[in-house]
Structure formats: C-alpha cells, structure tokens
C-alpha cells in the first residue's frame, strides 16, 4: 500500500517513533505503518482515498502538543502529518479575518495579524509550538479565553477532506451566517474523527490599545478561587484570569530560581485590555486586594509578559519533577472553590501529588497528577483521575473544557453524556466515516 502514497512518506523506525505519541504521555503500544508528510490538500485527499479503500486507519497530526491522546497512533495506522502545510494564505485587515493552512503555528498567526493592528485571540499555553489545525481539532482554549472564548469562537469556516477523499467547504467569510446545519462547529473539537481539516478561515480581532496586569498572592488556593469568583460576581470581564496553586509555584521556583512561594501559596493573574483597561483594573484591584496581602499591578508590557510567562512556565516546571497526567475539567465558576477542595482531598486520599492550575475566568481547572519518573498510568492513577472527573460532574461540570476526550477519557464519557447521546454521536460519526478509518478509538 505504501507504494501508492504521495512522495512525502516514511517508514523509518526513528520517524515512526518521533510521531507515534503526543504530549499526553499515554502510550497504548501501537505502531504506525507509515508517516505521510502532506504538503497540499490534494495530497491529503489522495491519502484518504487510498486508506479508505484499503480500510487503513488514519491518525492526523499537527505538532503533537495534544494532552488527551488524540494524536496517538493506533497500530498499523498511517500518521498524516500536516505540519508542512503552514502557509498563511491571506490576511484581510478590512474583514478582520485570516485564511490559513492547518500547520500554521498559532503564535505565528498572532504575530502576522499584529502587523495590521489585529490579533488572533485564542492562545493555548502551547501557543508557541501548537498548530491552528490542532487547536481546531481539540477546540483549544487558552489564557485569553476569559474574554475572547475558545477556538470555536474564532473559526468562521473550514476546508475539510472527508474520509473518502471528497473535499468540502463549511461556514463562510462573514461574521454572521445560519444557512444549513452548522457543520463548522461540528468539525471544531471533533479530534480528527469526522474529517481532516486542510484550511481554515478564522476571525481576527483588534489588538488592544492598552493592557493592565495584576498579580496577587494568597494563603491558599481556595482563597484565590474565592477572589477570582468575586471578580466575576462584580460583573467585571478581564481578558485573562489565571490561577496557580502551591505545588505549581514550588515547581517554578525550583526550575527558574524564583521566590514565588515566599509570597504565598496561590497565585492569581488578571489582565484587562482595551481603552478602559486601567479603569477596569482599578475595579478588579478593589475586589482582589482585600482578599490578598500581596498585589502588584503593572501597565508595563515587559513586566506583564514576565507575569504571563510565570503562568506558562507551570507545566514545564512540573514535568521536571516527574511524569504528569494532565487533566482538564470545568465547573460553573461559582463552584471552583468546591472543586479545588475536592481535588485536594483526592490528592491526600490517593497519596498522589496533584498540582492545579486554572483558567479562572471560565471555571476550567487543570488538575495535574505528578507521578514518579517511570511510573505507569496504573489503576491507582486512573482511579484518582476518575474521582476528579466524578467530582467535576457532581458540581455540574464537564470531563473536559478544552483538551478533548482522545484516548484518555473515553471510559468516562457516558457518565457525562448518557448512553443515548453517546450512541447518537457514534451514529453521527458513521455518517461521515462509514468505514471507521479516521482516528479510530478516539473521542466517542
């Protein structure tokens, strides 16, 4: 079969191993048959036509930064690597949109938009290395999601190759549009199970003329979540609202030689933007300062970037301390403190160190199980993870706010959706992918 594939394919064991897993760290032991480095939508269509006729699984891959096992290669599959499809095809300053290929690095699009006084708002923690296609496939969030929403809120239209090689366009270039069913929204977050995204029309927004940034430290994480909830209750809408707990701060101090932990056991980062950034920040400070003892506010872009870097440094710092299982639950913002308290109890009960960071602006928490180096994701680990998921669901939340289901969370999906909805979603996948070649075993 490989002789029929486009020119850019490889079967070298080193290449297969380099693209077999994603950043989740989950390894089911499968080995791909080949890696195809597609350079055009036509090549993607050719691969899918061949694979569909042959019944060969296809696992689409961007930068491999996913955290749910969604890009992990199944045994005997073709890994379809889209990283070479990295052109920014168009930026329309007038219509505030961009047309891009899936392999464009997220931060590169944001920088390109900046030359027109615009920005691409979604900014996952992996913004410097993750791709637009991967962000769309998982409906990634990011630090600015408090104000600008997740990736879905910035996707206007998609260019998709279906399992049988047919190429379709969904959505539009207009801000509004309700013709037909919303297939664009269906593909966003579908984790490569319904089709392969080969192009996207995305919304750009005006770059803020001014920002103000607040960093506050608290005696514990529950106090920090209480402050974040108080900002929401005050009807304030910051662009960024992020939380780090004591374990995260300890890890950053150890990695970077900082002294964050000496200032408190929890860290809240808030940024406001736009013409009224200073006025809004004054209101935020008035809410937060009485609940903290250590508040810093800056309008200096360099200092603000350093504070944002503190948040982005948390996961790499934790990875130095052991193998990590990165979870992703969301709860109503009013229940964040309850979720944090439940997670802390699970950590004590299980004996597993759990670090927690959170997008406080939308109630999305990332409990990170930090294991000894070399420890497998054994049943005790999955039991603790399952208790975290159950706690989130009991609080009216969800199993995943932005990382996706992938391989890691399928066993709990029915707990949230119920058997009838899961069956309906599987039937929907069969409409798009009747031979079940697209990322089998993932999502549903």
């Amino acid at each position: 079969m490989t002789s029929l594939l486009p020119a850019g394919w490889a079967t070298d064991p080193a290449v297969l191993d380099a693209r077999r897993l994603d950043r989740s760290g989950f390894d089911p032991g499968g080995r791909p048959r080949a890696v195809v480095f597609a350079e055009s939508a036509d090549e993607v269509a050719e691969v899918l036509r061949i694979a569909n006729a042959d019944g060969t699984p296809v696992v689409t891959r961007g930068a491999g930064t996913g955290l749910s096992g969604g890009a992990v290669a199944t045994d005997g599959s073709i890994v379809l690597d889209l990283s070479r499809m990295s052109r920014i095809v168009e930026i329309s300053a007038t219509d505030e949109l961009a047309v891009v290929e899936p392999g464009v690095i997220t931060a590169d699009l944001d920088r390109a938009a900046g030359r027109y006084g615009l920005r691409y708002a979604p900014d996952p923690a992996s913004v410097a290395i993750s791709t637009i296609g991967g962000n769309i496939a998982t409906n990634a969030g990011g630090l600015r999601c408090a104000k600008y929403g997740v990736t879905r809120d910035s996707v206007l239209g998609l260019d998709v190759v279906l399992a049988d090689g047919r190429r379709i366009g969904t959505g539009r270039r207009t801000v509004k549009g309700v013709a037909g069913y919303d297939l664009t929204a269906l593909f966003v977050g579908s984790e490569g199970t319904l089709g392969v995204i080969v192009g996207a029309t995305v919304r750009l927004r005006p770059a803020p003329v001014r920002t103000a940034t607040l960093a506050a430290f608290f005696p514990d994480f529950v106090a920090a979540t209480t402050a974040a909830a108080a900002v929401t209750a005050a009807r304030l809408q910051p662009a960024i609202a992020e939380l780090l707990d004591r374990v995260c701060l300890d890890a950053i101090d150890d990695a970077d030689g900082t002294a964050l932990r000496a200032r408190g056991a929890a860290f809240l980062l808030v940024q406001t933007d736009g013409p009224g950034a200073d006025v809004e920040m004054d209101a935020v400070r008035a809410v937060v300062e009485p609940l903290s003892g250590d508040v810093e506010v800056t309008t200096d872009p360099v200092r603000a970037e350093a504070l944002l870097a503190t948040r982005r440094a948390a996961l790499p710092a934790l990875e130095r301390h052991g193998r990590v299982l990165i979870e992703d639950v969301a709860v109503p913002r009013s229940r964040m403190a309850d979720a944090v308290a439940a997670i802390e109890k699970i950590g004590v009960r299980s004996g597993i160190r759990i670090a927690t960071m959170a997008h406080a602006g939308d109630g999305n928490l990332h409990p990170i199980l930090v294991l000894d180096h070399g420890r497998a994701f054994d049943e005790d680990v999955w039991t603790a993870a399952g208790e975290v998921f159950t706690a989130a669901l009991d609080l009216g939340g969800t199993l995943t706010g932005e990382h996706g289901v992938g391989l890691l969370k399928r066993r709990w999906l029915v707990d949230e959706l119920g058997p009838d909805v899961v069956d309906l979603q599987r039937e929907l996948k069969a409409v798009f992918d009747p031979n079940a070649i697209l990322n089998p075993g993932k999502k549903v």
Side-chain angles (χ1 to χ4, degrees):
M1 175 197 174
T2 51
S3 62
L4 301 175
L5 295 174
W9 60 271
T11 57
D12 180 82
V15 177
L16 299 184
D17 287 342
R19 288 159 181 81
R20 189 171 66 87
L21 305 176
D22 63 12
R23 200 179 179 187
S24 68
F26 185 66
D27 184 357
R31 189 174 185 83
R33 188 172 177 179
V35 175
V36 176
F37 297 92
E39 297 187 8
S40 70
D42 288 342
E43 288 188 358
V44 171
E46 184 179 355
V47 170
L48 291 184
R49 280 194 296 268
I50 294 168
N52 193 55
D54 194 54
T56 300
V58 176
V59 178
T60 306
R61 178 186 180 88
T65 60
L67 296 169
S68 66
V72 170
T74 49
D75 202 44
S77 63
I78 294 172
V79 173
L80 184 55
D81 188 312
L82 304 183
S83 59
R84 295 182 183 178
M85 296 178 63
S86 56
R87 292 187 308 137
I88 297 175
V89 178
E90 175 192 356
I91 291 181
S92 171
T94 303
D95 291 327
E96 296 185 346
L97 61 82
V99 180
V100 298
E101 291 184 329
V104 171
I105 299 297
T106 312
D108 289 347
L109 174 59
D110 193 31
R111 278 191 292 270
R115 292 194 285 270
Y116 299 86
L118 300 169
R119 73 159 29 154
Y120 178 65
D123 67 330
S126 58
V127 62
I129 54 175
S130 63
T131 63
I132 296 293
N135 292 171
I136 293 171
T138 59
N139 193 23
L143 274 62
R144 295 195 287 245
C145 56
K147 183 174 183 178
Y148 297 102
V150 292
T151 296
R152 176 177 283 117
D153 299 301
S154 290
V155 177
L156 297 173
L158 295 172
D159 188 4
V160 179
V161 178
L162 300 178
D164 59 7
R166 284 180 296 161
R167 188 171 168 179
I168 65 169
T170 74
R172 59 205 183 274
R173 290 173 63 98
T174 57
V175 174
K176 295 167 66 177
V178 292
Y181 294 117
D182 191 352
L183 296 184
T184 302
L186 183 61
F187 280 111
V188 177
S190 63
E191 301 181 33
T193 61
L194 301 180
V196 176
I197 296 165
V198 293
T201 301
V202 296
R203 183 179 181 183
L204 304 177
R205 300 171 190 265
V209 296
R210 188 169 177 81
T211 62
T213 306
L214 173 146
F217 290 83
F218 299 84
D220 56 62
F221 201 46
V222 171
T225 59
T226 300
V231 171
T232 299
R235 303 296 179 258
L236 299 170
Q237 182 67 79
I240 294 172
E242 297 288 309
L243 286 165
L244 297 175
D245 76 351
R246 171 184 55 80
V247 181
C248 293
L249 297 179
D250 282 334
I252 296 169
D253 283 347
D254 181 63
D256 298 339
T258 51
L260 300 171
R261 184 66 180 82
R263 299 178 66 179
F267 170 77
L268 172 64
L269 177 71
V270 179
Q271 187 172 89
T272 56
D273 67 9
D278 294 316
V279 173
E280 191 171 15
M281 181 54 72
D282 287 343
V284 170
R285 184 171 193 164
V287 170
V288 171
E289 198 157 34
L291 302 171
S292 173
D294 185 344
V295 172
E296 171 189 353
V297 173
T298 184
T299 56
D300 175 33
V302 175
R303 179 56 183 158
E305 189 55 42
L307 293 171
L308 290 169
T310 297
R311 165 61 180 86
R312 297 190 195 279
L315 179 55
L318 290 168
E319 289 175 324
R320 288 164 50 100
H321 284 258
R323 187 180 187 190
V324 296
L325 177 59
I326 304 162
E327 288 309 337
D328 162 46
V329 297
V331 298
R333 288 175 292 185
S334 61
R335 305 304 301 274
M336 277 198 303
D338 297 324
V340 169
I343 291 166
E344 289 178 347
K345 289 178 182 177
I346 292 166
V348 171
R349 187 164 58 247
S350 67
I352 296 173
R353 183 168 50 155
I354 303 179
T356 301
M357 58 188 73
H359 304 305
D362 58 13
N364 189 184
L365 298 101
H366 296 310
I368 300 175
L369 283 66
V370 184
L371 313 174
D372 293 335
H373 285 292
R375 179 176 178 178
F377 291 163
D378 55 43
E379 202 52 42
D380 289 341
V381 172
W382 289 121
T383 296
E387 290 179 2
V388 170
F389 302 149
T390 298
L393 295 178
D394 287 347
L395 292 170
T398 178
L399 296 169
T400 175
E402 60 185 7
H403 292 170
V405 174
L407 284 172
L408 268 63
K409 296 186 178 180
R410 283 189 69 213
R411 72 169 87 172
W412 293 282
L413 192 62
V414 70
D415 294 341
E416 176 172 341
L417 301 182
D420 291 338
V421 171
V422 170
D423 286 345
L424 186 61
Q425 295 204 5
R426 289 173 178 162
E427 291 170 10
L428 183 63
K429 173 174 169 56
V431 171
F432 287 86
D433 181 23
N435 293 328
I437 67 162
L438 295 177
N439 217 5
K442 315 289 179 57
K443 186 68 175 177
V444 297

